Amino acid sequence: MENLLSIKDLTQAQFFELIELAQTIKNNPKDYNQVLAGQSIVTIYEKPSLRTRLSFDIGINKLGGHAVYIDQQNGAMGKRESVADFAKNISVWADCIVARTFAHSTIEELAANAKVPVVNSLSDLYHPCQGMADFLTLSEKFDDLSKVSLAYVGDGNNVTHSLMYAAAQAGCTMKVVCPKGHFPDAEITNEAQAIATKNGGSIELSTDLAVLNGVDAIYTDTWISMGDSTKLEDIAAKFMPYQVNQQLMDTTGAKYFMHCAPAHLEEEVTAQVFNGEQSLVLNQAENRMHAQNAILVKLLGNK
Ligand code: CP
Ligand code: NVA
């Protein structure tokens, strides 16, 4: 593993190894508290963040490393200097770059020019750290990930893409239910479906909520992602039938609710479900740190 730009770049063995390592680090934090001693990790943010910023910063500290936060006030990438020069300069001091960018191509450019590993902490196309944390969370609730039936309901977006790749790696069953015109990217879907088939799983797309009957968990995300200028009033009526509410949880029989957060309560999910007993949202948030620490240990641990 040289970088983590997308879950699709992992082999199935690497995917399961990361989930296992994350659980081991979570259970035995003291054994890992010097793994990144003397190493500095630069975290770049073009977009706001709570969970990602704090889980990386605190997580790196728990591994004995040093996190350096750079926002975009101190020279936006590609403006004060090129993305390539950003990557080359950071590489002379730091041991790793974690980047949250608008365009996925910016992360690819950082990786192409950096001499150190690059981790994608959200782009317009993917959110791999989230997907790994979500599957760590599912692995704590289900003994065999390949038997899990996961549903994603709402806007087909960066989170959906990474969840589809994670589901494909795990060989589980995934149903993606979106309003017409809001499905995940077709090429990414085809690729994820091919990986799923190879691993004995399946990814089914539909506009029909009836396909959700019998799923184990329902996942949703905001209808409008960061960087998308769509106005809520233009899409709310189309998305409202896809809101995750208690009625949907009850009729489908889903045991768990999942959301990467932040949520827009009473839009994609009701407060009752988001804050209810079936909700795994805080488990997911906690597991961001453990999943990311496994990624960092894998990328930097042997230095
Ligand atoms: N889920 C997630 O990435 O949250 P933040 O945007 O707060 O980092
Ligand atoms: N799809 C959302 C996820 C936020 C963590 C976004 O990109 O804004």
PDB file of all heavy atoms in Angstrom, residues 45 47-55 100 121-122 127 129-130 134 159 219 221 226 259-262 284-285 288 292, ligand 1:
ATOM      1  N   TYR A  45      -7.097  20.824   4.360  1.00  0.00           N
ATOM      2  CA  TYR A  45      -8.561  20.890   4.238  1.00  0.00           C
ATOM      3  C   TYR A  45      -9.002  22.014   3.313  1.00  0.00           C
ATOM      4  O   TYR A  45      -8.793  23.178   3.628  1.00  0.00           O
ATOM      5  CB  TYR A  45      -9.198  21.111   5.622  1.00  0.00           C
ATOM      6  CG  TYR A  45      -9.063  19.895   6.504  1.00  0.00           C
ATOM      7  CD1 TYR A  45      -7.904  19.679   7.241  1.00  0.00           C
ATOM      8  CD2 TYR A  45     -10.081  18.946   6.570  1.00  0.00           C
ATOM      9  CE1 TYR A  45      -7.761  18.545   8.020  1.00  0.00           C
ATOM     10  CE2 TYR A  45      -9.951  17.812   7.343  1.00  0.00           C
ATOM     11  CZ  TYR A  45      -8.785  17.613   8.062  1.00  0.00           C
ATOM     12  OH  TYR A  45      -8.638  16.493   8.829  1.00  0.00           O
ATOM     13  N   LYS A  47     -12.236  21.960   2.594  1.00  0.00           N
ATOM     14  CA  LYS A  47     -13.649  22.024   3.016  1.00  0.00           C
ATOM     15  C   LYS A  47     -13.707  21.896   4.535  1.00  0.00           C
ATOM     16  O   LYS A  47     -12.784  21.360   5.137  1.00  0.00           O
ATOM     17  CB  LYS A  47     -14.431  20.845   2.427  1.00  0.00           C
ATOM     18  CG  LYS A  47     -14.439  20.741   0.920  1.00  0.00           C
ATOM     19  CD  LYS A  47     -15.217  19.496   0.502  1.00  0.00           C
ATOM     20  CE  LYS A  47     -15.130  19.283  -0.984  1.00  0.00           C
ATOM     21  NZ  LYS A  47     -15.862  18.088  -1.421  1.00  0.00           N
ATOM     22  N   PRO A  48     -14.829  22.310   5.142  1.00  0.00           N
ATOM     23  CA  PRO A  48     -14.943  22.188   6.595  1.00  0.00           C
ATOM     24  C   PRO A  48     -14.963  20.735   7.062  1.00  0.00           C
ATOM     25  O   PRO A  48     -15.233  19.828   6.269  1.00  0.00           O
ATOM     26  CB  PRO A  48     -16.303  22.840   6.911  1.00  0.00           C
ATOM     27  CG  PRO A  48     -16.796  23.434   5.668  1.00  0.00           C
ATOM     28  CD  PRO A  48     -16.013  22.895   4.517  1.00  0.00           C
ATOM     29  N   SER A  49     -14.698  20.544   8.346  1.00  0.00           N
ATOM     30  CA  SER A  49     -14.715  19.195   8.915  1.00  0.00           C
ATOM     31  C   SER A  49     -14.766  19.263  10.432  1.00  0.00           C
ATOM     32  O   SER A  49     -14.139  20.128  11.036  1.00  0.00           O
ATOM     33  CB  SER A  49     -13.444  18.453   8.501  1.00  0.00           C
ATOM     34  OG  SER A  49     -13.318  17.268   9.252  1.00  0.00           O
ATOM     35  N   LEU A  50     -15.466  18.340  11.040  1.00  0.00           N
ATOM     36  CA  LEU A  50     -15.374  18.125  12.491  1.00  0.00           C
ATOM     37  C   LEU A  50     -14.734  16.761  12.740  1.00  0.00           C
ATOM     38  O   LEU A  50     -13.618  16.645  13.237  1.00  0.00           O
ATOM     39  CB  LEU A  50     -16.758  18.181  13.160  1.00  0.00           C
ATOM     40  CG  LEU A  50     -16.719  17.831  14.650  1.00  0.00           C
ATOM     41  CD1 LEU A  50     -16.047  18.911  15.474  1.00  0.00           C
ATOM     42  CD2 LEU A  50     -18.133  17.577  15.180  1.00  0.00           C
ATOM     43  N   ARG A  51     -15.452  15.702  12.325  1.00  0.00           N
ATOM     44  CA  ARG A  51     -15.005  14.333  12.585  1.00  0.00           C
ATOM     45  C   ARG A  51     -13.621  14.034  11.999  1.00  0.00           C
ATOM     46  O   ARG A  51     -12.761  13.472  12.655  1.00  0.00           O
ATOM     47  CB  ARG A  51     -16.014  13.312  12.007  1.00  0.00           C
ATOM     48  CG  ARG A  51     -17.197  13.021  12.901  1.00  0.00           C
ATOM     49  CD  ARG A  51     -18.426  12.743  12.072  1.00  0.00           C
ATOM     50  NE  ARG A  51     -18.782  13.972  11.387  1.00  0.00           N
ATOM     51  CZ  ARG A  51     -19.532  14.930  11.932  1.00  0.00           C
ATOM     52  NH1 ARG A  51     -20.062  14.744  13.104  1.00  0.00           N
ATOM     53  NH2 ARG A  51     -19.773  16.059  11.290  1.00  0.00           N
ATOM     54  N   THR A  52     -13.428  14.411  10.737  1.00  0.00           N
ATOM     55  CA  THR A  52     -12.177  14.045  10.067  1.00  0.00           C
ATOM     56  C   THR A  52     -10.999  14.765  10.700  1.00  0.00           C
ATOM     57  O   THR A  52      -9.977  14.162  11.010  1.00  0.00           O
ATOM     58  CB  THR A  52     -12.291  14.373   8.572  1.00  0.00           C
ATOM     59  OG1 THR A  52     -13.453  13.716   8.077  1.00  0.00           O
ATOM     60  CG2 THR A  52     -11.069  13.921   7.810  1.00  0.00           C
ATOM     61  N   ARG A  53     -11.176  16.058  10.907  1.00  0.00           N
ATOM     62  CA  ARG A  53     -10.069  16.825  11.482  1.00  0.00           C
ATOM     63  C   ARG A  53      -9.691  16.296  12.859  1.00  0.00           C
ATOM     64  O   ARG A  53      -8.526  16.062  13.155  1.00  0.00           O
ATOM     65  CB  ARG A  53     -10.454  18.311  11.570  1.00  0.00           C
ATOM     66  CG  ARG A  53      -9.338  19.086  12.204  1.00  0.00           C
ATOM     67  CD  ARG A  53      -9.506  20.567  12.194  1.00  0.00           C
ATOM     68  NE  ARG A  53      -8.368  21.164  12.882  1.00  0.00           N
ATOM     69  CZ  ARG A  53      -8.243  22.440  13.137  1.00  0.00           C
ATOM     70  NH1 ARG A  53      -9.173  23.283  12.746  1.00  0.00           N
ATOM     71  NH2 ARG A  53      -7.189  22.907  13.771  1.00  0.00           N
ATOM     72  N   LEU A  54     -10.694  16.108  13.720  1.00  0.00           N
ATOM     73  CA  LEU A  54     -10.390  15.695  15.087  1.00  0.00           C
ATOM     74  C   LEU A  54      -9.938  14.244  15.162  1.00  0.00           C
ATOM     75  O   LEU A  54      -9.036  13.903  15.927  1.00  0.00           O
ATOM     76  CB  LEU A  54     -11.601  15.937  15.991  1.00  0.00           C
ATOM     77  CG  LEU A  54     -11.919  17.421  16.195  1.00  0.00           C
ATOM     78  CD1 LEU A  54     -13.072  17.598  17.155  1.00  0.00           C
ATOM     79  CD2 LEU A  54     -10.707  18.176  16.718  1.00  0.00           C
ATOM     80  N   SER A  55     -10.558  13.373  14.368  1.00  0.00           N
ATOM     81  CA  SER A  55     -10.173  11.953  14.465  1.00  0.00           C
ATOM     82  C   SER A  55      -8.761  11.739  13.929  1.00  0.00           C
ATOM     83  O   SER A  55      -8.030  10.891  14.442  1.00  0.00           O
ATOM     84  CB  SER A  55     -11.189  11.045  13.774  1.00  0.00           C
ATOM     85  OG  SER A  55     -11.327  11.386  12.413  1.00  0.00           O
ATOM     86  N   ARG A 100      -8.312  16.676   2.205  1.00  0.00           N
ATOM     87  CA  ARG A 100      -9.753  16.782   1.891  1.00  0.00           C
ATOM     88  C   ARG A 100      -9.882  17.864   0.832  1.00  0.00           C
ATOM     89  O   ARG A 100      -9.565  19.042   1.094  1.00  0.00           O
ATOM     90  CB  ARG A 100     -10.535  17.144   3.149  1.00  0.00           C
ATOM     91  CG  ARG A 100     -11.939  17.624   2.855  1.00  0.00           C
ATOM     92  CD  ARG A 100     -12.813  17.711   4.094  1.00  0.00           C
ATOM     93  NE  ARG A 100     -13.163  16.387   4.558  1.00  0.00           N
ATOM     94  CZ  ARG A 100     -14.195  16.118   5.367  1.00  0.00           C
ATOM     95  NH1 ARG A 100     -14.969  17.092   5.799  1.00  0.00           N
ATOM     96  NH2 ARG A 100     -14.458  14.896   5.730  1.00  0.00           N
ATOM     97  N   SER A 121      -9.026  12.163   2.523  1.00  0.00           N
ATOM     98  CA  SER A 121      -9.962  12.301   3.645  1.00  0.00           C
ATOM     99  C   SER A 121     -11.264  12.955   3.186  1.00  0.00           C
ATOM    100  O   SER A 121     -11.933  13.608   3.969  1.00  0.00           O
ATOM    101  CB  SER A 121      -9.318  13.082   4.792  1.00  0.00           C
ATOM    102  OG  SER A 121      -8.971  14.380   4.375  1.00  0.00           O
ATOM    103  N   LEU A 122     -11.609  12.755   1.948  1.00  0.00           N
ATOM    104  CA  LEU A 122     -12.860  13.147   1.263  1.00  0.00           C
ATOM    105  C   LEU A 122     -12.550  13.997   0.031  1.00  0.00           C
ATOM    106  O   LEU A 122     -11.816  14.977   0.104  1.00  0.00           O
ATOM    107  CB  LEU A 122     -13.838  13.921   2.166  1.00  0.00           C
ATOM    108  CG  LEU A 122     -15.213  14.296   1.557  1.00  0.00           C
ATOM    109  CD1 LEU A 122     -16.321  14.245   2.610  1.00  0.00           C
ATOM    110  CD2 LEU A 122     -15.200  15.674   0.903  1.00  0.00           C
ATOM    111  N   HIS A 127     -14.970   8.872  -0.231  1.00  0.00           N
ATOM    112  CA  HIS A 127     -14.674   9.130   1.181  1.00  0.00           C
ATOM    113  C   HIS A 127     -14.213   7.795   1.784  1.00  0.00           C
ATOM    114  O   HIS A 127     -14.919   7.168   2.587  1.00  0.00           O
ATOM    115  CB  HIS A 127     -15.933   9.660   1.878  1.00  0.00           C
ATOM    116  CG  HIS A 127     -15.680  10.354   3.176  1.00  0.00           C
ATOM    117  ND1 HIS A 127     -14.424  10.441   3.755  1.00  0.00           N
ATOM    118  CD2 HIS A 127     -16.519  10.995   4.031  1.00  0.00           C
ATOM    119  CE1 HIS A 127     -14.513  11.108   4.894  1.00  0.00           C
ATOM    120  NE2 HIS A 127     -15.762  11.446   5.094  1.00  0.00           N
ATOM    121  N   CYS A 129     -11.958   6.806   4.008  1.00  0.00           N
ATOM    122  CA  CYS A 129     -11.784   6.637   5.462  1.00  0.00           C
ATOM    123  C   CYS A 129     -13.135   6.387   6.127  1.00  0.00           C
ATOM    124  O   CYS A 129     -13.254   5.611   7.076  1.00  0.00           O
ATOM    125  CB  CYS A 129     -11.111   7.867   6.067  1.00  0.00           C
ATOM    126  SG  CYS A 129      -9.446   8.127   5.435  1.00  0.00           S
ATOM    127  N   GLN A 130     -14.167   7.042   5.584  1.00  0.00           N
ATOM    128  CA  GLN A 130     -15.521   6.828   6.092  1.00  0.00           C
ATOM    129  C   GLN A 130     -15.972   5.394   5.805  1.00  0.00           C
ATOM    130  O   GLN A 130     -16.496   4.703   6.690  1.00  0.00           O
ATOM    131  CB  GLN A 130     -16.476   7.830   5.417  1.00  0.00           C
ATOM    132  CG  GLN A 130     -17.888   7.778   5.939  1.00  0.00           C
ATOM    133  CD  GLN A 130     -17.991   8.297   7.359  1.00  0.00           C
ATOM    134  OE1 GLN A 130     -17.552   9.381   7.663  1.00  0.00           O
ATOM    135  NE2 GLN A 130     -18.578   7.506   8.252  1.00  0.00           N
ATOM    136  N   ASP A 134     -17.028   2.610   8.495  1.00  0.00           N
ATOM    137  CA  ASP A 134     -18.390   2.057   8.473  1.00  0.00           C
ATOM    138  C   ASP A 134     -18.365   0.533   8.459  1.00  0.00           C
ATOM    139  O   ASP A 134     -19.176  -0.123   9.104  1.00  0.00           O
ATOM    140  CB  ASP A 134     -19.151   2.587   7.254  1.00  0.00           C
ATOM    141  CG  ASP A 134     -19.328   4.095   7.318  1.00  0.00           C
ATOM    142  OD1 ASP A 134     -19.299   4.651   8.433  1.00  0.00           O
ATOM    143  OD2 ASP A 134     -19.472   4.726   6.250  1.00  0.00           O
ATOM    144  N   VAL A 159     -19.792   9.380  -0.554  1.00  0.00           N
ATOM    145  CA  VAL A 159     -19.928   8.377   0.508  1.00  0.00           C
ATOM    146  C   VAL A 159     -20.488   7.079  -0.082  1.00  0.00           C
ATOM    147  O   VAL A 159     -20.004   5.980   0.218  1.00  0.00           O
ATOM    148  CB  VAL A 159     -20.819   8.933   1.651  1.00  0.00           C
ATOM    149  CG1 VAL A 159     -21.206   7.846   2.637  1.00  0.00           C
ATOM    150  CG2 VAL A 159     -20.092  10.078   2.365  1.00  0.00           C
ATOM    151  N   TYR A 219     -28.448   3.157   5.500  1.00  0.00           N
ATOM    152  CA  TYR A 219     -27.472   4.245   5.575  1.00  0.00           C
ATOM    153  C   TYR A 219     -28.003   5.389   4.717  1.00  0.00           C
ATOM    154  O   TYR A 219     -28.536   5.160   3.628  1.00  0.00           O
ATOM    155  CB  TYR A 219     -26.157   3.724   4.962  1.00  0.00           C
ATOM    156  CG  TYR A 219     -24.895   4.512   5.269  1.00  0.00           C
ATOM    157  CD1 TYR A 219     -23.816   3.895   5.897  1.00  0.00           C
ATOM    158  CD2 TYR A 219     -24.758   5.845   4.906  1.00  0.00           C
ATOM    159  CE1 TYR A 219     -22.638   4.587   6.162  1.00  0.00           C
ATOM    160  CE2 TYR A 219     -23.581   6.536   5.180  1.00  0.00           C
ATOM    161  CZ  TYR A 219     -22.529   5.908   5.807  1.00  0.00           C
ATOM    162  OH  TYR A 219     -21.370   6.595   6.064  1.00  0.00           O
ATOM    163  N   ASP A 221     -27.148   9.848   3.685  1.00  0.00           N
ATOM    164  CA  ASP A 221     -26.235  10.994   3.785  1.00  0.00           C
ATOM    165  C   ASP A 221     -27.008  12.213   3.275  1.00  0.00           C
ATOM    166  O   ASP A 221     -28.102  12.083   2.692  1.00  0.00           O
ATOM    167  CB  ASP A 221     -24.981  10.715   2.937  1.00  0.00           C
ATOM    168  CG  ASP A 221     -23.909  11.805   3.070  1.00  0.00           C
ATOM    169  OD1 ASP A 221     -23.976  12.615   4.017  1.00  0.00           O
ATOM    170  OD2 ASP A 221     -23.010  11.851   2.199  1.00  0.00           O
ATOM    171  N   MET A 226     -20.991  18.996   0.133  1.00  0.00           N
ATOM    172  CA  MET A 226     -20.164  20.208   0.133  1.00  0.00           C
ATOM    173  C   MET A 226     -19.625  20.450  -1.279  1.00  0.00           C
ATOM    174  O   MET A 226     -19.154  19.512  -1.923  1.00  0.00           O
ATOM    175  CB  MET A 226     -18.983  20.041   1.101  1.00  0.00           C
ATOM    176  CG  MET A 226     -19.393  19.992   2.548  1.00  0.00           C
ATOM    177  SD  MET A 226     -17.974  19.845   3.664  1.00  0.00           S
ATOM    178  CE  MET A 226     -17.618  18.093   3.585  1.00  0.00           C
ATOM    179  N   HIS A 259     -25.163   6.826   9.303  1.00  0.00           N
ATOM    180  CA  HIS A 259     -25.014   8.134   8.644  1.00  0.00           C
ATOM    181  C   HIS A 259     -23.594   8.610   8.914  1.00  0.00           C
ATOM    182  O   HIS A 259     -23.117   8.514  10.047  1.00  0.00           O
ATOM    183  CB  HIS A 259     -26.035   9.113   9.231  1.00  0.00           C
ATOM    184  CG  HIS A 259     -26.250  10.372   8.441  1.00  0.00           C
ATOM    185  ND1 HIS A 259     -25.212  11.184   8.033  1.00  0.00           N
ATOM    186  CD2 HIS A 259     -27.388  10.957   7.991  1.00  0.00           C
ATOM    187  CE1 HIS A 259     -25.711  12.220   7.355  1.00  0.00           C
ATOM    188  NE2 HIS A 259     -27.031  12.107   7.310  1.00  0.00           N
ATOM    189  N   CYS A 260     -22.916   9.128   7.897  1.00  0.00           N
ATOM    190  CA  CYS A 260     -21.536   9.577   8.108  1.00  0.00           C
ATOM    191  C   CYS A 260     -21.483  10.833   8.963  1.00  0.00           C
ATOM    192  O   CYS A 260     -20.485  11.094   9.619  1.00  0.00           O
ATOM    193  CB  CYS A 260     -20.862   9.818   6.764  1.00  0.00           C
ATOM    194  SG  CYS A 260     -21.720  11.026   5.749  1.00  0.00           S
ATOM    195  N   ALA A 261     -22.586  11.634   8.927  1.00  0.00           N
ATOM    196  CA  ALA A 261     -22.678  12.922   9.627  1.00  0.00           C
ATOM    197  C   ALA A 261     -21.688  13.945   9.020  1.00  0.00           C
ATOM    198  O   ALA A 261     -20.642  13.535   8.535  1.00  0.00           O
ATOM    199  CB  ALA A 261     -22.460  12.758  11.120  1.00  0.00           C
ATOM    200  N   PRO A 262     -22.020  15.226   9.019  1.00  0.00           N
ATOM    201  CA  PRO A 262     -23.168  15.816   9.691  1.00  0.00           C
ATOM    202  C   PRO A 262     -24.489  15.530   8.966  1.00  0.00           C
ATOM    203  O   PRO A 262     -24.508  15.421   7.743  1.00  0.00           O
ATOM    204  CB  PRO A 262     -22.862  17.325   9.672  1.00  0.00           C
ATOM    205  CG  PRO A 262     -21.974  17.527   8.486  1.00  0.00           C
ATOM    206  CD  PRO A 262     -21.195  16.257   8.343  1.00  0.00           C
ATOM    207  N   GLN A 284     -19.859   4.923  14.377  1.00  0.00           N
ATOM    208  CA  GLN A 284     -19.162   5.237  13.120  1.00  0.00           C
ATOM    209  C   GLN A 284     -18.148   6.351  13.347  1.00  0.00           C
ATOM    210  O   GLN A 284     -17.012   6.286  12.868  1.00  0.00           O
ATOM    211  CB  GLN A 284     -20.161   5.686  12.047  1.00  0.00           C
ATOM    212  CG  GLN A 284     -21.137   4.632  11.584  1.00  0.00           C
ATOM    213  CD  GLN A 284     -22.172   5.256  10.665  1.00  0.00           C
ATOM    214  OE1 GLN A 284     -23.296   5.552  11.081  1.00  0.00           O
ATOM    215  NE2 GLN A 284     -21.814   5.476   9.416  1.00  0.00           N
ATOM    216  N   ALA A 285     -18.578   7.402  14.059  1.00  0.00           N
ATOM    217  CA  ALA A 285     -17.678   8.540  14.294  1.00  0.00           C
ATOM    218  C   ALA A 285     -16.457   8.087  15.095  1.00  0.00           C
ATOM    219  O   ALA A 285     -15.310   8.421  14.753  1.00  0.00           O
ATOM    220  CB  ALA A 285     -18.427   9.647  15.028  1.00  0.00           C
ATOM    221  N   ARG A 288     -13.984   6.121  13.012  1.00  0.00           N
ATOM    222  CA  ARG A 288     -13.167   6.864  12.041  1.00  0.00           C
ATOM    223  C   ARG A 288     -11.708   6.851  12.507  1.00  0.00           C
ATOM    224  O   ARG A 288     -10.793   6.594  11.735  1.00  0.00           O
ATOM    225  CB  ARG A 288     -13.663   8.319  11.921  1.00  0.00           C
ATOM    226  CG  ARG A 288     -14.955   8.501  11.139  1.00  0.00           C
ATOM    227  CD  ARG A 288     -14.779   8.164   9.666  1.00  0.00           C
ATOM    228  NE  ARG A 288     -13.726   8.980   9.057  1.00  0.00           N
ATOM    229  CZ  ARG A 288     -13.895  10.224   8.610  1.00  0.00           C
ATOM    230  NH1 ARG A 288     -15.074  10.793   8.664  1.00  0.00           N
ATOM    231  NH2 ARG A 288     -12.883  10.890   8.066  1.00  0.00           N
ATOM    232  N   GLN A 292      -8.698   4.957  10.532  1.00  0.00           N
ATOM    233  CA  GLN A 292      -7.629   5.806   9.985  1.00  0.00           C
ATOM    234  C   GLN A 292      -6.276   5.443  10.592  1.00  0.00           C
ATOM    235  O   GLN A 292      -5.259   5.439   9.897  1.00  0.00           O
ATOM    236  CB  GLN A 292      -7.956   7.276  10.243  1.00  0.00           C
ATOM    237  CG  GLN A 292      -9.075   7.750   9.352  1.00  0.00           C
ATOM    238  CD  GLN A 292      -9.848   8.940   9.887  1.00  0.00           C
ATOM    239  OE1 GLN A 292     -10.924   9.227   9.396  1.00  0.00           O
ATOM    240  NE2 GLN A 292      -9.338   9.627  10.881  1.00  0.00           N
TER     241      GLN A 292
HETATM  242  N1   CP B   1     -18.133  12.272   8.248  1.00  0.00           N
HETATM  243  C1   CP B   1     -17.237  13.271   8.089  1.00  0.00           C
HETATM  244  O1   CP B   1     -16.310  13.202   7.271  1.00  0.00           O
HETATM  245  O2   CP B   1     -17.443  14.334   8.911  1.00  0.00           O
HETATM  246  P1   CP B   1     -16.696  15.752   8.814  1.00  0.00           P
HETATM  247  O3   CP B   1     -17.114  16.387   7.527  1.00  0.00           O
HETATM  248  O4   CP B   1     -17.149  16.509  10.026  1.00  0.00           O
HETATM  249  O5   CP B   1     -15.218  15.508   8.825  1.00  0.00           O
END
